[in-house]
Amino acid sequence: MFTAILIARPGGLEPALAENLRNAWGGGDVEWLSPDEAAEFSLAERPANLWDVWRDVQGMSVDLAVQPSDGRRKRMLLADMDSTMIAQECIDELAEVAGAGDHVRAITARAMNGELDFEASLLERVALLKGLPEAVVSQVLQNRITYAFGGRTLVATMRANGAHTALVSGGFTAFTGPIAAALGFDEHQANVLCIRNGALTGDVERPILGRQAKIDALEQITARLGIGPQDVIAVGDGANDLGMLGRAGAGVALHAKPSVAARCDLRINHGDLTALLYLQGYSRTEFVDAAG
């Protein structure tokens, strides 16, 4: 059995759309996870015209996913940080302070789209931060970083239901530490900026955490917890997330680069981070209240 899920911004999902699609696909009764925002129905098989319909409803600002009904609720959340749990790329914000914002943003965009080697591009960008005072990191955290909507609710709801939560980033521990704490994650992993005499040296400690390291984190954490990759829901937006998205039981491309989304079956382009709860079958009434 499969389950089809329709997700939109609050007030953006018309009941007629859910009913018409259910009728066209011969599905079960429509169940509303949140009025005018998220609905689902059962299917005997995956529709042959899924992606044609997906493109149609995208034009209505509605996300559509079809996934196996069994095992939807996951026991672990593995999340990227930059442009996923927060709205910015931390290295771009540091570079802005260093006066190299436009140059670094261009490199970041190409790296996240899979056009450049992640590790090489990271080292190139970090080199441009050489000499920045260490205190700039705290200033960026306080003044330039905003949290993606729904993140705290996603983490709090999954933890309340027994799931383990991990923030894994190709960014820096100077950011993942405070951000993981603010959002309620159980743990975090990222690269370590080299600092000497109170200033950034323009380098990071080895080994560099990139695409393979995110896969390794998934496998190591699940082994420690005694669960399998099929028990994980992972979320990210960039090319260095593709490995973990493909390995997880549910890999969600959230507002992702087109080249990344094209390789994922679960794509959220209109909903916020609470869409990951709807994908698992949580109703709005089950959400744990958490600001943001």
Side-chain angles (χ1 to χ4, degrees):
M1 292 292 292
F2 292 84
T3 301
I5 310 102
L6 291 158
I7 303 169
R9 298 184 182 94
L13 183 57
E14 295 288 341
L17 175 60
E19 293 290 348
N20 290 341
L21 187 55
R22 183 279 306 269
N23 292 337
W25 281 348
D29 292 341
V30 173
E31 297 183 17
W32 286 91
L33 301 175
S34 180
D36 302 324
E37 182 181 7
E40 66 179 36
F41 55 86
S42 61
L43 292 169
E45 58 186 18
R46 188 185 298 273
N49 65 340
L50 170 60
W51 293 111
D52 291 332
V53 175
W54 179 87
R55 281 186 286 272
D56 289 341
V57 300
Q58 282 288 294
M60 305 174 193
S61 298
V62 174
D63 292 313
L64 167 66
V66 174
Q67 55 185 331
S69 300
D70 290 341
R72 284 173 63 198
R73 290 208 176 182
K74 302 304 182 184
R75 299 171 63 186
M76 176 177 155
L77 168 68
L78 186 65
D80 173 48
M81 178 179 69
D82 297 289
S83 297
T84 299
M85 299 305 300
I86 62 173
Q88 296 77 25
E89 296 280 339
C90 290
I91 194 167
D92 292 356
E93 301 306 317
L94 287 173
E96 193 70 33
V97 177
D102 290 344
H103 180 54
V104 168
R105 287 181 196 280
I107 298 173
T108 299
R110 293 183 65 197
M112 292 302 96
N113 203 40
E115 299 172 26
L116 300 175
D117 176 76
F118 177 79
E119 294 189 9
S121 68
L122 178 67
L123 292 174
E124 179 182 355
R125 287 174 286 164
V126 171
L128 297 171
L129 306 179
K130 183 177 181 179
L132 271 184
E134 180 182 5
V136 167
V137 172
S138 296
Q139 294 169 14
V140 168
L141 271 166
Q142 181 175 353
N143 301 319
R144 305 181 72 94
I145 300 301
T146 57
Y147 295 101
F149 190 81
R152 289 186 179 90
T153 298
L154 168 64
V155 173
T157 301
M158 290 196 66
R159 290 189 67 188
N161 284 273
H164 186 82
T165 58
L167 185 67
V168 182
S169 173
F172 312 113
T173 54
F175 290 96
T176 58
I179 288 169
L183 293 176
F185 279 91
D186 292 298
E187 63 178 288
H188 68 97
Q189 296 182 24
N191 292 301
V192 179
L193 282 167
C194 294
I195 297 171
R196 185 179 301 117
N197 299 324
L200 275 61
T201 68
D203 202 359
V204 295
E205 293 185 6
R206 305 303 192 273
I208 293 174
L209 193 155
R211 176 170 174 163
Q212 183 57 46
K214 291 190 176 188
I215 301 172
D216 293 343
L218 184 154
E219 295 182 344
Q220 291 164 7
I221 296 172
T222 53
R224 187 205 324 148
L225 297 173
I227 61 177
Q230 72 276 5
D231 299 312
V232 177
I233 185 168
V235 60
D237 73 302
N240 66 325
D241 298 314
L242 279 169
M244 72 172 186
L245 296 180
R247 189 84 175 91
V252 183
L254 182 80
H255 302 288
K257 311 302 181 287
S259 62
V260 176
R263 297 176 62 181
C264 297
D265 286 339
L266 300 178
R267 309 171 189 176
I268 298 298
N269 293 323
H270 304 289
D272 56 52
L273 282 162
T274 61
L276 272 71
L277 295 172
Y278 293 134
L279 288 173
Q280 296 178 76
Y282 287 96
S283 66
R284 171 65 68 172
T285 57
E286 294 178 279
F287 288 8
V288 174
D289 188 22

XYZ file of all heavy atoms in Angstrom, residues 87-187:
735
model
N 17.904 30.033 7.296
C 17.617 30.602 5.974
C 18.864 31.026 5.213
O 18.771 31.349 4.027
C 16.671 31.800 6.128
N 20.006 31.013 5.862
C 21.230 31.509 5.252
C 22.280 30.414 5.069
O 22.127 29.307 5.571
C 21.852 32.635 6.118
C 21.022 33.888 6.268
C 19.874 33.742 7.244
O 19.924 32.910 8.149
N 18.834 34.556 7.069
N 23.348 30.766 4.341
C 24.576 29.975 4.284
C 25.587 30.706 5.165
O 25.978 31.845 4.869
C 25.103 29.882 2.842
C 24.190 29.143 1.884
C 24.300 27.629 1.992
O 25.337 27.152 2.493
O 23.350 26.940 1.583
N 26.006 30.079 6.259
C 26.851 30.764 7.237
C 28.139 31.296 6.632
O 28.575 32.410 6.953
C 27.159 29.825 8.400
S 25.726 29.493 9.448
N 28.753 30.522 5.757
C 30.016 30.973 5.178
C 29.811 32.220 4.316
O 30.667 33.104 4.258
C 30.702 29.842 4.376
C 32.163 30.218 4.079
C 29.925 29.511 3.095
C 32.993 29.071 3.575
N 28.657 32.338 3.686
C 28.363 33.539 2.894
C 28.232 34.759 3.794
O 28.656 35.866 3.431
C 27.072 33.353 2.102
C 27.185 32.308 1.006
O 28.297 31.779 0.801
O 26.162 32.014 0.363
N 27.629 34.566 4.956
C 27.449 35.688 5.875
C 28.783 36.122 6.469
O 29.031 37.323 6.643
C 26.459 35.301 6.986
C 25.083 34.890 6.480
C 24.455 35.939 5.579
O 24.541 37.144 5.914
O 23.865 35.557 4.546
N 29.647 35.170 6.767
C 30.991 35.521 7.228
C 31.747 36.282 6.139
O 32.436 37.274 6.411
C 31.768 34.264 7.620
C 31.363 33.559 8.922
C 32.115 32.241 9.055
C 31.644 34.456 10.131
N 31.611 35.812 4.913
C 32.301 36.444 3.798
C 31.800 37.869 3.569
O 32.580 38.755 3.179
C 32.128 35.623 2.531
N 30.522 38.088 3.807
C 29.961 39.439 3.664
C 30.666 40.401 4.605
O 31.029 41.518 4.220
C 28.460 39.409 3.952
C 27.713 40.644 3.538
C 27.605 40.801 2.034
O 27.521 39.786 1.322
O 27.628 41.959 1.583
N 30.903 39.952 5.831
C 31.603 40.773 6.814
C 33.056 41.002 6.386
O 33.624 42.071 6.605
C 31.552 40.121 8.206
C 32.348 40.931 9.221
C 30.110 39.970 8.673
N 33.630 39.974 5.737
C 35.030 40.069 5.305
C 35.197 40.868 4.018
O 36.327 41.076 3.560
C 35.605 38.668 5.116
N 34.080 41.285 3.405
C 34.155 42.058 2.172
C 34.280 41.222 0.923
O 34.622 41.745 -0.143
N 33.995 39.913 1.040
C 34.089 39.024 -0.126
C 32.768 38.325 -0.372
O 32.725 37.223 -0.915
C 35.201 37.997 0.093
N 31.675 38.981 0.018
C 30.371 38.345 -0.024
C 29.938 37.861 -1.394
O 29.556 36.705 -1.564
N 29.991 38.723 -2.393
C 29.510 38.349 -3.726
C 30.314 37.191 -4.303
O 29.752 36.258 -4.901
C 29.574 39.550 -4.675
C 28.544 40.616 -4.334
O 27.604 40.304 -3.579
O 28.700 41.758 -4.811
N 31.634 37.246 -4.131
C 32.505 36.195 -4.677
C 32.209 34.853 -4.019
O 32.052 33.829 -4.703
C 33.965 36.586 -4.448
C 34.950 35.580 -4.971
N 34.942 35.125 -6.276
C 35.973 34.917 -4.353
C 35.911 34.240 -6.451
N 36.545 34.095 -5.296
N 32.087 34.854 -2.697
C 31.854 33.611 -1.975
C 30.444 33.079 -2.247
O 30.245 31.866 -2.398
C 32.088 33.805 -0.463
C 31.580 32.603 0.337
C 33.580 34.016 -0.200
N 29.457 33.955 -2.330
C 28.087 33.505 -2.627
C 28.029 32.782 -3.971
O 27.327 31.781 -4.129
C 27.124 34.688 -2.627
C 26.808 35.230 -1.264
C 25.829 36.395 -1.336
N 25.814 37.138 -0.095
C 25.158 36.775 1.001
N 24.433 35.663 0.975
N 25.201 37.504 2.100
N 28.760 33.292 -4.944
C 28.767 32.666 -6.268
C 29.374 31.264 -6.204
O 28.868 30.323 -6.828
C 29.534 33.541 -7.254
N 30.452 31.113 -5.436
C 31.088 29.804 -5.285
C 30.154 28.849 -4.544
O 29.995 27.680 -4.933
C 32.432 29.921 -4.542
C 33.415 30.790 -5.337
C 33.041 28.534 -4.300
C 34.706 31.084 -4.590
N 29.526 29.349 -3.471
C 28.607 28.514 -2.695
C 27.468 27.996 -3.558
O 27.110 26.812 -3.507
C 28.037 29.307 -1.501
O 29.110 29.717 -0.642
C 27.055 28.457 -0.701
N 26.888 28.882 -4.358
C 25.765 28.480 -5.204
C 26.167 27.375 -6.166
O 25.423 26.407 -6.375
C 25.240 29.689 -5.972
N 27.361 27.502 -6.762
C 27.815 26.477 -7.702
C 28.132 25.168 -6.973
O 27.843 24.074 -7.487
C 29.048 26.973 -8.452
C 28.778 28.147 -9.399
C 30.021 28.526 -10.159
N 30.428 27.442 -11.043
C 31.648 27.356 -11.594
N 32.565 28.262 -11.316
N 31.931 26.351 -12.395
N 28.696 25.263 -5.774
C 29.015 24.055 -5.013
C 27.735 23.320 -4.600
O 27.641 22.091 -4.708
C 29.841 24.413 -3.778
N 26.734 24.066 -4.149
C 25.489 23.437 -3.701
C 24.686 22.869 -4.874
O 23.857 21.978 -4.703
C 24.635 24.447 -2.932
C 25.215 24.871 -1.590
S 25.500 23.476 -0.444
C 27.230 23.102 -0.723
N 24.961 23.381 -6.070
C 24.291 22.856 -7.259
C 25.049 21.676 -7.865
O 24.630 21.112 -8.881
C 24.137 23.974 -8.302
C 23.012 23.707 -9.272
O 21.951 23.221 -8.884
N 23.239 23.996 -10.538
N 26.180 21.317 -7.241
C 26.952 20.178 -7.708
C 27.904 20.481 -8.849
O 28.458 19.571 -9.468
N 28.144 21.767 -9.113
C 29.020 22.138 -10.223
C 30.497 22.154 -9.821
O 31.378 22.124 -10.678
C 28.631 23.524 -10.749
C 27.210 23.610 -11.285
C 26.815 25.031 -11.612
O 27.713 25.844 -11.898
O 25.608 25.341 -11.568
N 30.773 22.230 -8.511
C 32.144 22.281 -8.013
C 32.355 21.214 -6.949
O 31.413 20.798 -6.271
C 32.435 23.666 -7.393
C 32.301 24.893 -8.282
C 32.497 26.161 -7.448
C 33.301 24.851 -9.423
N 33.595 20.770 -6.810
C 33.935 19.846 -5.742
C 33.727 20.547 -4.401
O 34.237 21.655 -4.181
C 35.398 19.408 -5.868
C 35.835 18.521 -4.724
O 35.457 17.348 -4.714
O 36.551 19.035 -3.828
N 32.991 19.905 -3.500
C 32.638 20.573 -2.254
C 33.856 20.915 -1.412
O 34.002 22.047 -0.936
C 31.675 19.713 -1.432
C 31.338 20.324 -0.105
C 30.401 21.333 -0.010
C 31.993 19.910 1.061
C 30.104 21.931 1.214
C 31.703 20.498 2.283
C 30.758 21.509 2.357
N 34.744 19.942 -1.204
C 35.880 20.177 -0.320
C 36.795 21.269 -0.859
O 37.225 22.163 -0.121
C 36.651 18.874 -0.097
C 35.837 17.833 0.669
C 36.668 16.627 1.070
O 37.904 16.668 0.913
O 36.083 15.643 1.547
N 37.096 21.217 -2.141
C 37.969 22.226 -2.737
C 37.337 23.608 -2.668
O 38.007 24.605 -2.360
C 38.283 21.859 -4.183
N 36.040 23.666 -2.937
C 35.370 24.968 -2.908
C 35.273 25.499 -1.482
O 35.339 26.716 -1.261
C 33.978 24.866 -3.538
O 33.109 24.087 -2.754
N 35.108 24.602 -0.498
C 35.064 25.039 0.892
C 36.398 25.669 1.289
O 36.429 26.755 1.884
C 34.741 23.865 1.816
C 34.710 24.211 3.311
C 33.542 25.139 3.618
C 34.617 22.940 4.160
N 37.493 25.005 0.951
C 38.813 25.539 1.293
C 39.065 26.879 0.604
O 39.645 27.793 1.201
C 39.895 24.526 0.914
C 39.916 23.231 1.738
C 40.939 22.251 1.184
C 40.224 23.540 3.205
N 38.615 26.998 -0.639
C 38.783 28.260 -1.362
C 38.025 29.387 -0.664
O 38.533 30.505 -0.512
C 38.290 28.107 -2.798
C 38.405 29.384 -3.621
C 37.859 29.234 -5.034
O 37.469 28.109 -5.408
O 37.814 30.257 -5.753
N 36.812 29.095 -0.220
C 36.008 30.121 0.430
C 36.546 30.472 1.826
O 36.603 31.646 2.202
C 34.554 29.652 0.525
C 33.819 29.666 -0.814
C 32.437 29.058 -0.701
N 32.501 27.600 -0.568
C 31.506 26.835 -0.154
N 30.355 27.393 0.180
N 31.638 25.528 -0.085
N 36.931 29.456 2.583
C 37.430 29.702 3.932
C 38.721 30.524 3.892
O 38.960 31.365 4.773
C 37.649 28.375 4.680
C 38.381 28.607 6.001
C 36.314 27.704 4.962
N 39.536 30.313 2.864
C 40.787 31.074 2.745
C 40.522 32.575 2.686
O 41.340 33.385 3.147
C 41.556 30.620 1.504
N 39.378 32.952 2.149
C 39.034 34.369 2.035
C 38.604 34.971 3.370
O 38.429 36.191 3.479
C 37.924 34.555 1.003
C 38.289 34.153 -0.439
C 37.057 34.161 -1.331
C 39.357 35.093 -0.986
N 38.440 34.121 4.389
C 38.048 34.603 5.715
C 39.252 34.834 6.623
O 39.095 35.248 7.776
C 37.112 33.583 6.382
C 35.869 33.161 5.596
C 35.076 32.140 6.397
C 35.011 34.364 5.245
N 40.437 34.593 6.127
C 41.654 34.716 6.939
C 41.750 36.100 7.558
O 41.565 37.115 6.887
C 42.883 34.440 6.080
C 44.200 34.468 6.863
C 45.378 34.114 5.977
C 46.675 34.109 6.771
N 47.839 33.742 5.911
N 42.007 36.109 8.861
C 42.191 37.368 9.578
C 40.939 37.910 10.235
O 41.024 38.849 11.033
N 39.768 37.329 9.934
C 38.539 37.796 10.587
C 38.622 37.520 12.091
O 39.023 36.437 12.503
C 37.319 37.076 10.029
C 36.593 37.638 8.807
C 35.361 36.793 8.531
C 36.198 39.094 9.007
N 38.250 38.481 12.931
C 38.242 38.218 14.375
C 37.278 37.092 14.720
O 36.191 36.992 14.135
C 37.767 39.553 14.967
C 38.042 40.571 13.915
C 37.870 39.858 12.603
N 37.643 36.262 15.660
C 36.780 35.159 16.077
C 35.416 35.659 16.533
O 34.390 34.999 16.340
C 37.456 34.391 17.221
C 36.672 33.214 17.746
C 37.383 32.524 18.907
O 38.436 33.020 19.360
O 36.866 31.483 19.358
N 35.384 36.869 17.101
C 34.136 37.427 17.609
C 33.105 37.655 16.518
O 31.906 37.778 16.805
C 34.415 38.752 18.334
N 33.544 37.700 15.262
C 32.621 37.918 14.150
C 31.598 36.780 14.067
O 30.450 37.001 13.663
C 33.392 38.062 12.823
C 32.450 37.959 11.623
C 34.121 39.397 12.788
N 31.999 35.572 14.444
C 31.079 34.433 14.393
C 29.850 34.704 15.261
O 28.709 34.515 14.828
C 31.771 33.142 14.848
C 30.752 32.008 14.967
C 32.871 32.756 13.862
N 30.067 35.171 16.471
C 28.949 35.481 17.368
C 28.100 36.613 16.819
O 26.865 36.602 16.935
C 29.478 35.852 18.754
O 30.135 34.760 19.357
N 28.748 37.595 16.200
C 28.011 38.720 15.624
C 27.115 38.254 14.479
O 25.967 38.702 14.356
C 28.997 39.784 15.144
C 29.791 40.444 16.253
C 30.937 41.293 15.741
O 31.000 41.615 14.550
N 31.857 41.659 16.620
N 27.651 37.348 13.645
C 26.856 36.819 12.538
C 25.674 36.007 13.071
O 24.546 36.139 12.584
C 27.732 35.960 11.599
C 26.863 35.159 10.623
C 28.697 36.849 10.824
N 25.932 35.177 14.073
C 24.859 34.391 14.675
C 23.733 35.290 15.202
O 22.549 35.011 15.015
C 25.400 33.542 15.821
C 25.922 32.154 15.473
C 26.719 31.584 16.636
C 24.779 31.211 15.113
N 24.110 36.365 15.833
C 23.131 37.242 16.465
C 22.407 38.132 15.467
O 21.199 38.375 15.599
C 23.816 38.111 17.520
C 22.863 39.041 18.264
C 23.553 39.806 19.377
O 24.712 39.562 19.699
N 22.835 40.752 19.991
N 23.119 38.603 14.453
C 22.568 39.651 13.591
C 22.180 39.222 12.181
O 21.425 39.933 11.512
C 23.577 40.811 13.489
C 23.918 41.411 14.837
O 23.051 41.582 15.680
N 25.199 41.721 15.045
N 22.684 38.074 11.713
C 22.485 37.726 10.308
C 21.817 36.375 10.077
O 21.479 36.047 8.935
C 23.828 37.758 9.563
C 24.581 39.080 9.677
C 25.891 39.043 8.900
N 25.643 39.065 7.478
C 25.619 40.187 6.736
N 25.818 41.366 7.298
N 25.408 40.119 5.437
N 21.612 35.600 11.141
C 21.048 34.252 10.988
C 19.599 34.219 11.449
O 19.269 34.687 12.542
C 21.870 33.213 11.788
C 23.324 33.183 11.281
C 21.225 31.833 11.693
C 23.477 32.852 9.812
N 18.732 33.656 10.608
C 17.324 33.470 10.974
C 16.968 31.998 10.790
O 17.497 31.326 9.903
C 16.406 34.347 10.105
O 16.622 34.037 8.719
C 16.670 35.821 10.342
N 16.057 31.522 11.628
C 15.676 30.119 11.591
C 14.550 29.877 10.595
O 13.626 30.687 10.486
C 15.258 29.647 12.985
C 16.399 29.684 13.980
C 16.515 30.727 14.898
C 17.369 28.695 13.965
C 17.575 30.776 15.797
C 18.432 28.731 14.853
C 18.531 29.773 15.759
O 19.590 29.809 16.629
N 14.639 28.771 9.858
C 13.589 28.406 8.912
C 12.319 28.068 9.682
O 12.368 27.404 10.731
C 14.031 27.219 8.061
N 11.175 28.500 9.174
C 9.925 28.315 9.893
C 9.598 26.822 10.037
O 9.739 26.046 9.104
C 8.769 29.020 9.181
C 7.520 29.066 10.006
C 7.358 30.031 10.990
C 6.532 28.112 9.841
C 6.206 30.054 11.789
C 5.381 28.128 10.628
C 5.226 29.102 11.601
N 9.150 26.471 11.215
C 8.735 25.097 11.483
C 9.816 24.206 12.035
O 9.540 23.061 12.415
N 11.056 24.689 12.105
C 12.162 23.845 12.545
C 12.043 23.378 13.980
O 12.245 22.193 14.286
N 11.731 24.299 14.883
C 11.608 23.907 16.287
C 10.450 22.931 16.483
O 10.546 21.984 17.267
C 11.411 25.153 17.157
C 12.654 26.033 17.294
C 12.418 27.169 18.281
N 13.599 27.999 18.448
C 13.877 29.069 17.722
N 13.044 29.428 16.750
N 14.969 29.782 17.929
N 9.357 23.164 15.777
C 8.205 22.262 15.886
C 8.546 20.877 15.360
O 8.166 19.862 15.956
C 7.006 22.847 15.121
O 6.645 24.096 15.704
C 5.819 21.904 15.155
N 9.266 20.820 14.240
C 9.685 19.535 13.677
C 10.527 18.760 14.674
O 10.255 17.578 14.963
C 10.481 19.765 12.387
C 11.234 18.562 11.823
C 10.274 17.463 11.406
C 12.123 18.989 10.648
N 11.546 19.401 15.221
C 12.453 18.720 16.148
C 11.720 18.330 17.429
O 11.839 17.191 17.906
C 13.664 19.617 16.464
C 14.535 18.987 17.553
C 14.504 19.853 15.203
N 10.943 19.253 17.978
C 10.254 18.979 19.243
C 9.240 17.850 19.102
O 9.121 16.991 19.990
C 9.559 20.247 19.739
N 8.510 17.836 17.986
C 7.494 16.799 17.787
C 8.134 15.430 17.617
O 7.673 14.438 18.207
C 6.616 17.127 16.569
O 5.994 18.400 16.773
C 5.540 16.071 16.363
N 9.201 15.355 16.835
C 9.849 14.062 16.647
C 10.485 13.567 17.938
O 10.380 12.382 18.287
C 10.868 14.146 15.508
C 10.211 14.295 14.139
S 11.316 13.941 12.755
C 11.636 12.187 12.980
N 11.110 14.459 18.687
C 11.706 14.038 19.957
C 10.639 13.585 20.952
O 10.826 12.609 21.684
C 12.535 15.175 20.550
C 13.815 15.460 19.779
C 14.707 16.439 20.525
N 15.217 15.843 21.752
C 15.902 16.524 22.678
N 16.124 17.822 22.523
N 16.343 15.920 23.758
N 9.506 14.282 20.961
C 8.418 13.899 21.876
C 7.866 12.524 21.547
O 7.288 11.854 22.413
C 7.307 14.940 21.818
N 8.065 12.091 20.294
C 7.592 10.777 19.859
C 8.726 9.754 19.806
O 8.614 8.725 19.139
C 6.906 10.894 18.514
C 5.514 11.499 18.619
O 4.543 10.785 18.840
N 5.422 12.819 18.497
N 9.816 10.051 20.509
C 10.885 9.079 20.691
C 11.977 9.071 19.657
O 12.851 8.199 19.683
N 11.977 10.030 18.727
C 12.996 10.048 17.681
C 14.257 10.766 18.150
O 14.217 11.659 19.004
C 12.458 10.728 16.431
N 15.387 10.373 17.571
C 16.676 11.021 17.808
C 16.878 12.054 16.707
O 16.506 11.818 15.547
C 17.800 9.986 17.767
C 19.138 10.524 18.125
N 19.558 10.685 19.427
C 20.182 10.955 17.353
C 20.788 11.170 19.439
N 21.187 11.342 18.199
N 17.468 13.197 17.045
C 17.631 14.265 16.061
C 19.084 14.701 15.974
O 19.730 14.945 16.998
C 16.745 15.472 16.416
O 17.068 15.945 17.730
C 15.265 15.095 16.366
N 19.593 14.801 14.737
C 20.993 15.165 14.527
C 21.098 16.221 13.433
O 20.482 16.095 12.371
C 21.812 13.933 14.149
N 21.873 17.248 13.705
C 22.167 18.309 12.747
C 23.557 18.044 12.182
O 24.540 18.026 12.930
C 22.114 19.666 13.448
C 22.271 20.924 12.585
C 21.075 21.089 11.656
C 22.419 22.156 13.471
N 23.645 17.801 10.880
C 24.928 17.463 10.252
C 25.180 18.425 9.102
O 24.392 18.493 8.162
C 24.933 16.006 9.750
C 26.283 15.658 9.144
C 24.620 15.053 10.889
N 26.278 19.169 9.182
C 26.492 20.255 8.236
C 27.899 20.256 7.660
O 28.858 19.866 8.328
C 26.244 21.596 8.957
O 26.599 22.689 8.144
N 27.989 20.719 6.411
C 29.293 20.977 5.815
C 29.813 22.332 6.233
O 30.856 22.775 5.770
N 29.074 23.002 7.114
C 29.480 24.290 7.664
C 30.394 24.105 8.855
O 31.262 23.228 8.851
N 30.159 24.870 9.906
C 31.132 24.923 10.995
C 30.480 24.716 12.356
O 29.367 25.189 12.613
C 31.848 26.278 10.976
C 32.339 26.662 9.606
C 31.792 27.747 8.936
C 33.311 25.908 8.959
C 32.215 28.096 7.660
C 33.741 26.231 7.678
C 33.191 27.329 7.031
N 31.214 24.044 13.249
C 30.700 23.774 14.589
C 30.425 25.060 15.361
O 29.578 25.065 16.259
C 31.698 22.915 15.391
O 32.989 23.553 15.394
C 31.820 21.522 14.795
N 31.119 26.138 15.021
C 30.872 27.416 15.690
C 29.431 27.867 15.482
O 28.890 28.639 16.286
C 31.834 28.480 15.156
N 28.806 27.369 14.415
C 27.400 27.678 14.146
C 26.487 26.519 14.544
O 25.427 26.739 15.128
C 27.199 28.010 12.670
C 27.805 29.321 12.263
C 29.071 29.375 11.696
C 27.117 30.511 12.454
C 29.635 30.583 11.329
C 27.663 31.728 12.080
C 28.936 31.771 11.520
N 26.868 25.279 14.211
C 25.966 24.160 14.497
C 25.735 23.985 15.992
O 24.638 23.587 16.399
C 26.487 22.825 13.917
O 27.791 22.545 14.444
C 26.536 22.862 12.394
N 26.736 24.303 16.814
C 26.568 24.164 18.256
C 25.428 25.026 18.786
O 24.452 24.515 19.349
N 25.514 26.348 18.600
C 24.431 27.212 19.087
C 23.098 26.953 18.390
O 22.039 27.015 19.025
C 24.943 28.624 18.778
C 26.424 28.489 18.687
C 26.662 27.125 18.113
N 23.133 26.664 17.088
C 21.888 26.465 16.347
C 21.223 25.155 16.756
O 19.998 25.093 16.929
C 22.159 26.533 14.830
C 22.459 27.984 14.445
C 20.980 25.996 14.020
C 22.990 28.177 13.039
N 22.006 24.093 16.925
C 21.446 22.817 17.388
C 20.819 22.989 18.764
O 19.731 22.453 19.040
C 22.527 21.745 17.430
N 21.472 23.739 19.644
C 20.934 23.967 20.985
C 19.638 24.766 20.921
O 18.666 24.451 21.616
C 21.963 24.699 21.843
N 19.601 25.780 20.073
C 18.413 26.632 19.966
C 17.214 25.869 19.413
O 16.067 26.116 19.813
C 18.718 27.841 19.091
N 17.475 24.932 18.488
C 16.386 24.191 17.859
C 16.039 22.901 18.590
O 15.037 22.257 18.269
C 16.753 23.874 16.401
C 16.862 25.090 15.475
C 17.328 24.660 14.084
C 15.530 25.820 15.368
N 16.879 22.499 19.549
C 16.566 21.320 20.348
C 17.110 20.007 19.827
O 16.652 18.940 20.252
N 18.096 20.034 18.927
C 18.685 18.794 18.409
C 19.430 18.047 19.507
O 19.999 18.645 20.425
C 19.663 19.106 17.272
C 19.004 19.337 15.940
C 18.630 20.612 15.550
C 18.765 18.280 15.077
C 18.025 20.840 14.318
C 18.160 18.488 13.842
C 17.790 19.772 13.461
N 19.478 16.722 19.368
C 20.223 15.893 20.314
C 21.728 16.009 20.115
O 22.495 15.914 21.079
C 19.808 14.420 20.179
C 18.386 14.174 20.636
O 18.106 14.409 21.822
O 17.550 13.758 19.812
N 22.157 16.186 18.867
C 23.596 16.260 18.592
C 23.839 16.988 17.284
O 22.917 17.231 16.502
C 24.217 14.866 18.547
C 23.698 13.967 17.433
C 24.398 12.607 17.426
O 25.590 12.560 17.043
O 23.759 11.596 17.795
